[in-house]
């Protein structure tokens, strides 16, 4: 039998008999790798371990503790979930079950309109572990579409997927379930077969480090007009340690949930009578928001920006001219018919800033012209996607649009990166991820040459700063490429906040011009830029990052003063007045409850400093200081010394943030 030559990722080569599989290659390298191997990647394409290899192929062996390995584990665990549910609920059917970030889900349609509950998850978990313990193999087969439809005769949604895929009417998620005119399947037992492109782990024994998390409703294909299905979410990992660490992160995330903290700290709320995706800000939350916005205004003023204001709605002709009605209509609220035209709540500030630039003749000497607005916009988000402040329908952007010459573009983007990072660091973020989004030819306007020029400028700015970045193919806005800056929070989650977008299209659509030094008229380049993104989303991210423990300069109440008894109330008021005279935010908690209870309540409110005053303090002009997070209170601290201390901390942090 002839041998085939295979190339490994490190460039080394192996020779194996013709017909050898990825598993054979792993065994040839060593028994430990053979035991760990899950799938192969051959010339960039994922395959099952038992698929034969061809001569000259480049082969990577995927193990559990890798991105591809985790994806395979999660995808295969989703199949086991489907098998368990179909065994436990005879007559049920299933839709799609992909791997997702940190886990997987599967959608089900139960007989007679039944729904899952938490107790059902325990039963499903137990059945899944039976299947895993049995080490059932994942056996691949392929059928033409006609026979595939016969095999899936009892499963409506699988048939719909086959029909959609074979008619070229499927999105990527559906296509991943089937595979084209020839439909692939994976069978675990004689009684269970699932339609899937694959690949999968060799057998169910490679699985087991999973947890079923929750049940949710999900419309078929995400369309509210379709039937509501039952979705089970789960998480799966390579080993027990990874699973335990993830579950711990989830527990910590639940404690930090900004909706929970906003309620506990009386910052804001989402009244049902107001409507979904809309918040009202309570006094304490409004103070923090004001401080964030004031900080943003000050930084922009120091950075050479000019402040503007624009209305919250506009005639539809403006959004036709900008292109938003062509490319962004699904994200806009429905139109309002007025006596002189059709109006829309604005989804973006940029078209109105173009009108401001176009007011009168502009000279090259005015460029770069940096316009800044804390502008409120409205975007229609589906009810199922709303998530507190993170996904909201009405929000305010710290929005800037910079008009510059082509020669200024590179320096301006580089300067913006410095600006972005300094602002985010001022709020305590110190770990960043950079993404460069490129053109989607199907959802964009403009020539290839202009897009290449804009993309190159953004890429060079990142590289000039020595920043590592990832490419997001086809993720740019319709008018130009962009840099997105994600922050990592205190528990390692990534949040997209800042963005810098280069735009050659809107200046052209609005026929913007400036007079160059040679007297000729030229188009400016437009940079769209948000530092914090939306104030609401930034507030939510910051609240979770800090777990509600705002630094002194941002805390809604910086110092609480608690008299031990009613006899100490006058002195407590004197202490509070002294602190207020030094521009500090103070709350006096009267002695209507036991002292211990009042201290606990203030600690739950995460106040940076809790002062307790009693007989000795009245006599000696001192205070007892409970510092947030400290193990023991400080006794007999002179009032003057404490005032100097907290004022210094407040002003130093604020001045540092504004530096």
């Amino acid at each position: 039998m002839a041998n085939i030559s295979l190339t490994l990722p490190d460039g080394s080569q192996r020779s194996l008999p013709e017909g050898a599989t990825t598993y054979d290659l792993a065994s040839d390298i060593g028994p430990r790798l053979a035991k760990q191997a899950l799938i192969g990647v051959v010339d960039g394409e994922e395959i099952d371990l038992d698929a034969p290899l061809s001569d000259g192929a480049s082969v990577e062996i995927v193990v559990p503790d890798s991105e591809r390995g985790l994806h395979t584990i999660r995808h295969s665990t989703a199949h086991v979930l489907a098998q368990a549910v179909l065994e436990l609920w005879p007559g049920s059917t299933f839709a799609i079950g992909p791997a997702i970030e940190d886990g997987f889900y599967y959608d089900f349609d139960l007989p007679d309109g039944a729904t899952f509950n938490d107790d059902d998850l325990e039963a499903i978990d137990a059945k899944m572990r039976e299947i895993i313990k049995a080490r059932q193999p994942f056996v691949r087969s392929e059928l033409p579409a006609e026979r595939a439809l016969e095999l899936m005769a009892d499963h409506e949604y699988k048939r719909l997927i086959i029909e959609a895929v074979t008619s070229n009417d499927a999105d990527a998620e559906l296509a991943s379930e089937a595979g084209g005119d020839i439909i692939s399947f994976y069978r675990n037992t004689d009684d269970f077969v699932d339609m899937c492109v694959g690949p999968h782990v060799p057998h169910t024994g490679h699985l087991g480090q999973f947890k079923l998390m929750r049940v949710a409703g999900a419309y078929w294909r995400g369309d509210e007009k379709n039937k509501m299905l039952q979705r089970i979410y789960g998480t799966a990992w390579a080993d027990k340690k990874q699973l335990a660490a993830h579950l711990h992160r989830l527990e910590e995330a639940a404690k930090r949930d900004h909706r929970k903290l906003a309620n506990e700290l009386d910052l804001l709320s989402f009244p049902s009578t107001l409507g979904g995706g809309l918040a009202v800000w309570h006094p304490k939350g409004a103070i923090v928001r004001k401080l964030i916005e004031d900080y943003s205004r000050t930084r922009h003023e120091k950075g050479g920006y000019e402040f503007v204001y624009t209305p919250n709605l506009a005639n539809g002709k403006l959004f036709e001219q900008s292109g938003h009605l062509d490319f962004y209509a699904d994200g806009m609220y429905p139109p309002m018919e007025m006596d002189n035209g059709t109006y829309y709540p604005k989804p973006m500030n940029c078209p109105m800033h173009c009108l401001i630039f176009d007011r009168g003749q502009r000279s090259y000497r005015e460029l770069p012209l940096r316009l800044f607005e804390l502008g409120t916009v409205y975007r229609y988000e589906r009810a199922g996607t709303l998530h507190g402040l993170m996904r909201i329908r009405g929000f305010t952007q710290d929005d800037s649009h910079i008009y510059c010459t082509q020669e200024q573009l590179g320096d301006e983007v580089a300067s913006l990166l410095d600006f972005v990072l300094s602002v985010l660091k001022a709020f305590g973020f110190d770990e960043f991820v950079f993404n460069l989004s490129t053109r989607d030819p199907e959802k964009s306007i403009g020539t290839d040459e202009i897009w290449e020029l804009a993309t190159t400028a953004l890429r060079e700015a990142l590289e000039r700063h020595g920043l590592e970045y990832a490419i997001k193919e086809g993720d740019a806005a319709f008018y130009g490429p962009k840099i997105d800056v994600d922050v990592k929070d205190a528990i390692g989650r990534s949040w997209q906040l800042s963005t810098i977008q280069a735009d050659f299209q809107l200046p052209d659509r609005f026929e913007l011009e400036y007079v160059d030094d040679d007297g000729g008229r030229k188009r400016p380049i437009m940079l769209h830029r948000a530092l914090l993104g939306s104030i609401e989303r930034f507030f939510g991210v910051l609240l979770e990052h800090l777990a509600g423990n705002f630094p002194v300069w941002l805390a809604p109440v910086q110092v609480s003063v608690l008299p031990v008894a009613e006899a100490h109330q006058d002195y407590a008021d004197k202490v509070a007045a002294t602190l207020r005279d030094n521009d500090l935010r103070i709350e006096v908690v009267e002695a209507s409850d036991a002292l211990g209870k009042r201290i606990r309540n203030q600690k739950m409110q995460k106040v940076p400093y809790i002062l307790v005053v009693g007989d000795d303090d009245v006599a000696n002009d001192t205070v007892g200081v409970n510092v947030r997070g400290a193990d023991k209170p400080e006794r007999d601290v002179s009032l003057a010394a404490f005032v100097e201390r907290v004022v210094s901390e407040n002003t130093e942090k604020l001045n540092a943030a504004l530096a």
Side-chain angles (χ1 to χ4, degrees), residues 390 424 433 435 437 472 475 482-488 493-501 530-534 537-538 541:
M390 306 305 194
L424 296 178
V433 176
N435 297 297
S437 296
K472 287 191 172 181
D475 196 46
K482 62 176 179 174
I483 296 171
D484 286 329
V485 183
D486 298 359
V487 299
K488 289 287 188 70
R493 297 171 301 178
S494 185
W495 302 94
Q496 194 274 311
L497 293 178
S498 307
T499 186
I500 301 170
Q501 303 176 353
L531 295 186
L532 305 180
S534 86
R537 177 177 166 81
F538 179 79
V541 172

Side-chain angles (χ1 to χ4, degrees), residues 160-208:
L160 289 172
I161 293 171
I162 296 170
E163 292 167 355
V165 170
T166 54
S167 65
N168 297 316
D169 185 33
D171 58 27
E173 193 172 38
L174 291 187
S176 69
E177 291 287 317
D181 292 336
I182 299 298
I183 310 299
S184 55
F185 293 88
Y186 282 83
R187 184 178 293 277
N188 290 61
T189 67
D190 291 340
D191 297 325
F192 178 76
V193 61
D194 197 356
M195 182 174 69
C196 183
V197 173
H200 284 284
V201 299
H203 57 76
T204 58
H206 284 272
L207 311 175

Side-chain angles (χ1 to χ4, degrees), residues 81 84-85 88-89 108 110 113-128 210 212-215 230 232:
L81 167 62
V85 169
L88 291 170
W89 279 266
F108 300 96
L110 301 183
T115 58
F116 294 118
N117 58 45
D118 290 341
D119 291 338
D120 292 331
L121 292 186
E122 293 183 15
I124 296 168
D125 180 286
K127 176 59 71 173
M128 290 175 67
F210 74 91
L212 300 182
M213 304 302 298
R214 60 189 174 92
V215 177
Q230 295 287 297
I232 296 179

Side-chain angles (χ1 to χ4, degrees), residues 105-398:
Y105 69 78
Y106 223 119
D107 292 342
F108 300 96
D109 191 2
L110 301 183
D112 302 322
T115 58
F116 294 118
N117 58 45
D118 290 341
D119 291 338
D120 292 331
L121 292 186
E122 293 183 15
I124 296 168
D125 180 286
K127 176 59 71 173
M128 290 175 67
R129 297 192 186 280
E130 286 181 19
I131 296 168
I132 289 168
K133 186 177 181 180
R135 297 170 66 88
Q136 298 176 2
F138 283 87
V139 180
R140 181 185 175 93
S141 62
E142 295 180 347
L143 292 174
E146 184 176 348
R147 291 193 58 197
L149 286 169
E150 294 174 2
L151 181 62
M152 293 287 105
D154 296 330
H155 298 289
E156 172 189 0
Y157 301 101
K158 298 298 183 182
R159 291 175 59 87
L160 289 172
I161 293 171
I162 296 170
E163 292 167 355
V165 170
T166 54
S167 65
N168 297 316
D169 185 33
D171 58 27
E173 193 172 38
L174 291 187
S176 69
E177 291 287 317
D181 292 336
I182 299 298
I183 310 299
S184 55
F185 293 88
Y186 282 83
R187 184 178 293 277
N188 290 61
T189 67
D190 291 340
D191 297 325
F192 178 76
V193 61
D194 197 356
M195 182 174 69
C196 183
V197 173
H200 284 284
V201 299
H203 57 76
T204 58
H206 284 272
L207 311 175
Q209 303 307 320
F210 74 91
K211 181 176 176 60
L212 300 182
M213 304 302 298
R214 60 189 174 92
V215 177
Y219 293 105
W220 165 241
R221 297 199 69 175
D223 189 335
E224 296 174 4
K225 298 177 182 178
N226 291 333
K227 187 173 184 179
M228 174 74 78
L229 304 178
Q230 295 287 297
R231 175 172 293 179
I232 296 179
Y233 284 98
T235 187
W237 296 84
D239 56 45
K240 291 181 179 179
K241 185 176 180 180
Q242 288 184 4
L243 176 61
H246 176 70
L247 295 177
H248 176 72
R249 286 194 299 270
L250 291 180
E251 290 177 7
E252 187 62 29
K255 295 176 186 176
R256 293 169 179 262
D257 189 307
H258 72 281
R259 296 164 298 180
K260 173 176 175 288
L261 289 171
N263 179 61
E264 293 173 352
L265 302 179
D266 194 23
L267 302 174
L268 56 95
S269 59
F270 299 89
S272 59
T273 51
L274 186 63
L278 300 168
V280 291
W281 293 73
H282 304 183
K284 289 182 179 180
I287 289 172
V288 180
R289 175 172 177 159
K290 177 182 180 298
L291 291 166
I292 292 171
E293 292 180 348
D294 287 348
Y295 169 81
S296 180
R297 290 188 183 94
T298 302
R299 287 299 306 270
H300 283 87
E301 191 170 9
K302 289 176 177 286
Y305 287 75
E306 299 185 47
F307 291 15
V308 297
Y309 295 93
T310 60
N312 286 350
L313 74 165
N315 193 293
K317 293 178 181 178
L318 178 68
F319 301 120
E320 289 178 5
Q321 185 175 1
S322 68
H324 285 96
L325 283 179
D326 291 329
F327 293 94
Y328 203 76
D330 289 345
M332 297 172 63
Y333 269 90
M336 297 175 284
E337 299 299 330
M338 310 290 281
D339 54 0
N340 61 342
T342 302
Y343 284 75
Y344 290 85
K346 67 174 178 180
M348 308 282 188
N349 300 301
C350 40
M352 298 181 184
H353 289 192
C354 287
L355 298 180
I356 294 172
F357 181 93
D358 200 35
R359 181 64 175 170
Q361 182 171 286
R362 298 287 182 181
S363 165
Y364 73 95
R365 291 188 176 88
E366 298 177 71
L367 306 184
L369 176 66
R370 305 181 182 100
L371 302 181
F372 169 72
E373 176 180 14
L374 282 168
T376 300
V377 298
Y378 300 90
R379 300 180 188 173
Y380 176 70
E381 303 283 358
R382 290 183 177 181
T385 67
L386 298 175
H387 181 71
L389 296 175
M390 306 305 194
R391 198 75 178 261
I392 195 168
R393 288 173 170 167
F395 55 91
T396 301
Q397 295 177 303
D398 62 335

